[in-house]
Amino acid sequence: MTMKVAEPTVERLVQYCRLLEQLHDEGRRVVSSQEIGDMLGLKASQVRKDLSYFGEIGKRGVGYHVDRLFEHIRSILSPPHHWKIALVGAGRLGEALLGYKAFKSDKFNIEAVFDVDPDKTGTTVAGIPCYHPDSLPQVLKEKNIEVLILTIPASAAQAVVDLAAKAGTLKGVLTFAPTTLVAPEGVLIYGVDISVELEKLLFYLKHGEL
Amino acid sequence: MTMKVAEPTVERLVQYCRLLEQLHDEGRRVVSSQEIGDMLGLKASQVRKDLSYFGEIGKRGVGYHVDRLFEHIRSILSPPHHWKIALVGAGRLGEALLGYKAFKSDKFNIEAVFDVDPDKTGTTVAGIPCYHPDSLPQVLKEKNIEVLILTIPASAAQAVVDLAAKAGTLKGVLTFAPTTLVAPEGVLIYGVDISVELEKLLFYLKHGEL
DNA sequence: TAATGTGAAAAGCTTCACAGCT
DNA sequence: AGCTGTGAAGCTTTTCACATTA
């Protein structure tokens, strides 16, 4: 099933998913759009519109069945595809991500790590084999890796993306480098800049309003 | 000056600021909206609209004076206020942030670190004094800290926010914990969830389109 | 009755097109 | 001539209001 879903909607779907998991653990059986909205800071009508994009899943007069809704959203978010991911940059941020609980998932797996540090290449980092970035094209092709996570300085980011694209297997990049990257043909680049987020918070603190 | 600025606009303003800093270092004197747009992947008209919110700052027929524009945006983003920040959770992610170049700024300073690890409390982490989270209210009040960065597990996040709010000085929180937090009265909470960002990327990779 | 699903209205954001400076 | 500033058009996302159904 291919369906056009707006960016803000995807973000909320992920949040619903996480919330439903929590509710399940608490033994909750049903939940209403109003309750979901209150817990997530959204309007009930927004919640209903999001959930109804994919067919009628709730029961009128009752609400949504927690487990059923969870499985439903999960199947929309994670298609039957297992992603192979490589992480470039085994510094503190890279290692933090490797150890991050929420990063263990059955949707994807981190298959390789790359770092310039000669103490790390040739060994394993957090149980994952570590290579020198020079061998990006070979290793990506060999392991058929489609996604890259970049936790390297801004100055090295573009070169790594261009080199990795040579493997021909690369489909997407999640970068934490505080710089704008030019995407090679056929590669989707998604950036998270932590210092930008902090600046945004400070801006809103000063100027009031959310 | 208080002005309502939309969220996407703030994000772009931060990007302009960073780009202009770069251009300044390269010795560039003037730049056009078209060039800025090309470098940041935005339409020229978008750039002009963003920049004109705060008065006429460009020169018609010429473009924008790099240094002047930089100072202008800077003054919008960071009012004459120096923020005092505390970081809670001196794990790998926390230490990564403390060592992060882009986190050194004259707009704010990290004044205290909190962690439950008895090996860390009472000493300094990356040169910053480390306390036990139990003393959050006292330390925040003493140092007049207004912003908290949370790099702790989801399970502890809400309790830390509630405790910190008791100091009465807290205005904002930037959290990396993958959970939804309830904001105490008068506190603005801004969350960055790394695993959500990865899920969003994977979703778009599967469903095509940006 | 209580809560969903949904067309239509409202709000928000981006792009266009061109007038207006330099 | 060249490039900004900006009202208006166009598109996207949110909210409303209510018919619908368990």
Side-chain angles (χ1 to χ4, degrees):
Chain A
M1 165 176 34
T2 298
M3 209 162 232
K4 201 200 70 178
V5 188
E7 154 125 33
T9 307
V10 178
E11 172 133 15
R12 288 191 300 266
L13 286 177
V14 178
Q15 293 185 323
Y16 298 146
C17 216
R18 215 165 53 190
L19 178 67
L20 288 165
E21 207 165 8
Q22 239 176 268
L23 290 176
H24 166 93
D25 291 347
E26 290 167 10
R28 242 345 241 293
R29 305 299 297 275
V30 295
V31 65
S32 71
S33 58
Q34 181 70 59
E35 291 172 298
I36 294 176
D38 288 350
M39 288 185 273
L40 258 38
L42 302 166
K43 285 247 166 28
S45 54
Q46 176 79 82
V47 174
R48 290 202 301 279
K49 181 131 270 171
D50 288 340
L51 299 181
S52 67
Y53 270 138
F54 310 94
E56 305 200 2
I57 193 72
K59 279 195 173 40
R60 297 179 191 223
V62 180
Y64 300 90
H65 188 281
V66 171
D67 293 0
R68 194 155 118 72
L69 183 55
F70 174 75
E71 286 306 330
H72 194 245
I73 299 179
R74 193 170 176 68
S75 74
I76 293 159
L77 288 176
S78 73
H81 187 83
H82 184 86
W83 299 95
K84 294 188 171 186
I85 299 183
L87 185 140
V88 185
R92 277 176 296 208
L93 180 55
E95 289 199 16
L97 294 189
L98 289 174
Y100 191 30
K101 251 206 323 273
F103 251 56
K104 317 280 188 230
S105 161
D106 51 0
K107 290 178 199 176
F108 56 83
N109 192 45
I110 297 180
E111 307 266 334
V113 171
F114 294 86
D115 200 288
V116 288
D117 185 344
D119 289 350
K120 288 176 178 163
T121 59
T123 69
T124 66
V125 175
I128 300 159
C130 182
Y131 308 87
H132 190 277
D134 288 345
S135 50
L136 268 162
Q138 298 91 291
V139 176
L140 293 199
K141 195 180 278 178
E142 226 167 71
K143 304 207 174 201
N144 199 33
I145 287 171
E146 295 171 307
V147 177
L148 226 56
I149 297 177
L150 300 187
T151 51
I152 52 178
S155 54
Q158 186 69 59
V160 163
V161 169
D162 293 340
L163 186 61
K166 288 190 182 161
T169 59
L170 191 65
K171 297 232 177 82
V173 176
L174 180 66
T175 174
F176 292 87
T179 185
T180 309
L181 295 175
V182 179
E185 186 63 29
V187 176
L188 184 57
I189 293 190
Y190 212 90
V192 179
D193 189 325
I194 291 167
S195 65
V196 169
E197 298 305 322
L198 178 59
E199 293 235 20
K200 277 161 62 179
L201 173 68
L202 298 182
F203 179 87
Y204 285 116
L205 284 181
K206 196 67 195 179
H207 287 71
E209 316 300 305
L210 175 85
Chain B
M1 166 177 33
T2 298
M3 207 163 231
K4 200 199 70 177
V5 188
E7 155 128 31
T9 307
V10 178
E11 172 134 15
R12 286 190 302 266
L13 287 177
V14 177
Q15 293 184 324
Y16 298 145
C17 215
R18 216 166 51 191
L19 178 66
L20 289 165
E21 206 165 9
Q22 238 175 266
L23 291 176
H24 167 91
D25 291 347
E26 291 168 8
R28 246 341 245 292
R29 306 300 296 277
V30 295
V31 65
S32 72
S33 58
Q34 181 70 58
E35 291 172 297
I36 294 176
D38 289 348
M39 289 187 273
L40 259 38
L42 303 167
K43 285 249 171 19
S45 55
Q46 176 78 82
V47 175
R48 290 202 301 277
K49 181 132 272 177
D50 287 341
L51 299 181
S52 67
Y53 269 138
F54 309 95
E56 305 199 4
I57 193 73
K59 279 196 173 39
R60 299 181 188 217
V62 180
Y64 299 90
H65 187 284
V66 171
D67 291 0
R68 194 156 118 72
L69 183 56
F70 174 75
E71 285 307 331
H72 193 246
I73 299 179
R74 195 171 174 68
S75 75
I76 294 159
L77 288 175
S78 71
H81 186 82
H82 185 88
W83 298 95
K84 294 188 174 188
I85 300 183
L87 185 140
V88 186
R92 277 174 297 207
L93 180 56
E95 290 199 13
L97 294 187
L98 290 175
Y100 191 29
K101 252 205 324 272
F103 251 57
K104 315 280 187 231
S105 161
D106 52 359
K107 291 179 197 173
F108 55 83
N109 192 46
I110 298 179
E111 309 264 335
V113 171
F114 294 85
D115 200 290
V116 288
D117 184 345
D119 290 350
K120 289 176 178 162
T121 58
T123 70
T124 66
V125 175
I128 300 159
C130 182
Y131 308 87
H132 190 277
D134 287 346
S135 50
L136 268 161
Q138 299 91 291
V139 176
L140 293 199
K141 194 180 278 175
E142 227 167 70
K143 305 206 173 203
N144 199 34
I145 287 170
E146 295 172 308
V147 177
L148 225 56
I149 298 178
L150 300 186
T151 51
I152 52 178
S155 54
Q158 186 68 58
V160 163
V161 169
D162 294 340
L163 186 60
K166 287 189 181 157
T169 60
L170 191 66
K171 297 232 175 81
V173 177
L174 179 66
T175 173
F176 293 86
T179 185
T180 308
L181 296 175
V182 179
E185 186 65 28
V187 177
L188 184 56
I189 292 191
Y190 211 89
V192 178
D193 189 324
I194 290 167
S195 65
V196 169
E197 298 305 322
L198 180 59
E199 292 235 19
K200 276 161 62 179
L201 173 68
L202 298 182
F203 180 87
Y204 285 115
L205 285 181
K206 196 68 194 176
H207 288 70
E209 317 297 308
L210 178 88

